[in-house]
Amino acid sequence: TIEGVVGEESSYYLVVTDPDTGRTFVLKEGDAVAPDMVISKITLDSVIFLKYVMDSGKLKKETVVLKVNTDG
């Protein structure tokens, strides 16, 4: 579960909670969130991921944008 984004313009961090354990994690750009996905960019209202996929035997990158609810 995404709890929010913290930090300042030069370095934002994504705060997430594991719903199964209740543990909270602070993630930064470059952190892997899955074996095939890393955080590319964090802004106050979105997180951009790079997902690596095999397509016809070639490794390709896909961009996934997740909007962050900033309404509190």
Side-chain angles (χ1 to χ4, degrees):
T1 305
I2 295 178
E3 300 297 335
V5 174
V6 297
E8 44 189 62
E9 191 172 334
S10 62
S11 59
Y12 289 116
Y13 299 90
L14 181 66
V15 180
V16 296
T17 300
D18 182 332
D20 295 331
T21 64
R23 291 181 64 190
T24 300
F25 300 90
V26 178
L27 305 173
K28 64 184 182 316
E29 293 176 7
D31 283 351
V33 294
D36 61 347
M37 188 177 287
V38 297
I39 298 173
S40 174
K41 180 80 177 159
I42 301 170
T43 67
L44 277 179
D45 62 353
S46 66
V47 181
I48 301 170
F49 300 93
L50 285 181
K51 181 174 178 138
Y52 297 91
V53 295
M54 290 298 287
D55 184 18
S56 302
K58 295 182 181 180
L59 186 62
K60 294 189 175 183
K61 291 186 236 182
E62 293 179 355
T63 302
V64 179
V65 179
L66 180 65
K67 294 292 182 184
V68 176
N69 182 355
T70 57
D71 294 337

